[in-house]
Amino acid sequence: MRAALVEYSSSEEEEEEEEGRHWGGGGEQAPSTAAAVRRRLPLPADLPGDPEPEEAVTDDSSRHGGRVRSFPHERGNWATHVYLPYRVREEFLELLELLVYRARSHVPSLSAMEEFHLSLSQCVVLRYHWIQPFVSGLRVRLAAFHRFFCVADQVKVYTNQNKTRTFIGLEVTAGHFQLLELVSEVDRVLEEFDLPTFYKDPSFHISLAWCVGDLSDRLEGQCLRELQDIVDGFEDSALLLRVQWEQIQCKSGNKYFSFPLR
């Protein structure tokens, strides 16, 4: 099966993140709620990574595997993404190697992911001085959540909205309710800043590999069945693909924020 993801970002610092959008009104004007927060809090001058005034930013797709930004770079805008980081085990990497090797017989240009996560938000655009109040809002909303398990064992093919990239992922088949609860709280923070919320019927998944272009037709059908057979037949796959989530992370530009689950 194939599901369309609304855009993975292609910046140099996001290996695989979802679409960022500018404000509906455009430009520099802050939403009313975010403006109120900004009036109460000083600018976070101690946050690392603020670009220098003279810094030149270029979008060279050859520097990051041919990916193209899903939104143009503007100074002071920070691509921001909320997700559950997945710390892989050695057995998972063995399974990944088998899957990528088989999938490359259908799509030779396929590349394995280097980092793994499960998204709880799209990749959205924050103004630099909104990062700190945004993170504070997340910390309050997520403080009560406990660690939990989910199962991600269904191989699925995804494309981004513009059909410029194709992904192979493991879709969550158990633990969906807990993920929706997390998304609901993250969405509330996004709404306070007039940012786009997550997809209405999300296909929660961990992406494993990707390639440039829409090659979903070559990965679906026979290839997808072969990959699912590998997952189903892998030793202890039921235990391996039962994931315990222990923390939530937010990445904004080159800055990471962690929110441990209880």
Side-chain angles (χ1 to χ4, degrees):
M1 297 178 65
R2 175 174 58 187
L5 295 182
V6 185
E7 197 68 26
Y8 282 92
S9 171
S10 300
S11 72
E12 299 167 37
E13 297 175 353
E14 281 88 25
E15 183 65 28
E16 179 228 341
E17 294 179 355
E18 297 179 3
E19 179 181 22
R21 300 178 183 174
H22 295 290
W23 308 112
E28 303 289 331
Q29 183 177 2
S32 57
T33 52
V37 172
R38 192 170 67 256
R39 285 194 295 270
R40 292 196 300 271
L41 294 173
L43 295 181
D46 57 335
L47 266 175
D50 197 15
E52 297 295 331
E54 68 274 15
E55 178 187 16
V57 179
T58 59
D59 288 332
D60 182 359
S61 63
S62 65
R63 296 173 60 187
H64 35 84
R67 296 182 304 245
V68 180
R69 286 183 184 271
S70 57
F71 54 88
H73 175 85
E74 291 185 16
R75 195 174 305 279
N77 284 354
W78 291 70
T80 303
H81 181 219
V82 184
Y83 58 93
L84 292 159
Y86 178 46
R87 294 185 177 181
V88 301
R89 297 159 51 185
E90 183 178 351
E91 296 86 349
F92 179 86
L93 295 178
E94 293 174 1
L95 174 59
L96 176 66
E97 184 177 359
L98 291 174
L99 292 171
V100 172
Y101 179 80
R102 179 62 61 87
R104 280 177 177 163
S105 67
H106 298 268
V107 177
S109 61
L110 205 68
S111 298
M113 293 291 181
E114 297 179 359
E115 296 180 356
F116 305 89
H117 67 261
L118 187 151
S119 292
L120 299 175
S121 79
Q122 301 184 54
C123 184
V124 297
V125 177
L126 275 181
R127 298 297 295 167
Y128 175 72
H129 48 273
W130 295 341
I131 297 174
Q132 200 164 28
F134 180 81
V135 169
S136 296
L138 287 176
R139 200 170 300 281
V140 170
R141 289 284 183 185
L142 301 174
F145 283 91
H146 292 260
R147 300 179 183 185
F148 66 99
F149 288 93
C150 75
V151 177
D153 60 0
Q154 185 70 42
V155 184
K156 199 166 183 177
V157 176
Y158 298 87
T159 60
N160 62 2
Q161 191 176 44
N162 294 332
K163 306 294 185 182
T164 58
R165 282 191 286 166
T166 305
F167 302 84
I168 296 174
L170 288 174
E171 186 183 31
V172 169
T173 57
H176 200 264
F177 177 76
Q178 293 93 328
L179 293 171
L180 286 175
E181 285 189 318
L182 285 175
V183 166
S184 176
E185 294 303 316
V186 173
D187 277 352
R188 291 186 180 188
V189 180
L190 291 165
E191 288 171 346
E192 291 174 2
F193 289 81
D194 287 351
L195 292 168
T197 55
F198 206 43
Y199 315 113
K200 287 189 176 181
D201 296 306
S203 173
F204 293 112
H205 65 281
I206 301 169
S207 289
L208 305 176
W210 68 280
C211 62
V212 173
D214 181 5
L215 302 181
S216 54
D217 289 344
R218 292 163 61 179
L219 291 171
E220 291 174 336
Q222 180 63 30
C223 178
L224 197 59
R225 289 190 291 270
E226 293 173 2
L227 298 181
Q228 189 64 56
D229 287 343
I230 292 174
V231 170
D232 295 341
F234 193 77
E235 184 177 2
D236 296 329
S237 63
L239 179 62
L240 176 62
L241 300 178
R242 185 174 184 261
V243 183
Q244 183 181 31
W245 302 112
E246 299 181 348
Q247 66 172 322
I248 299 166
Q249 284 190 345
C250 174
K251 181 181 181 184
S252 190
N254 58 6
K255 180 71 173 176
Y256 292 83
F257 304 89
S258 294
F259 312 91
L261 297 172
R262 300 174 63 183

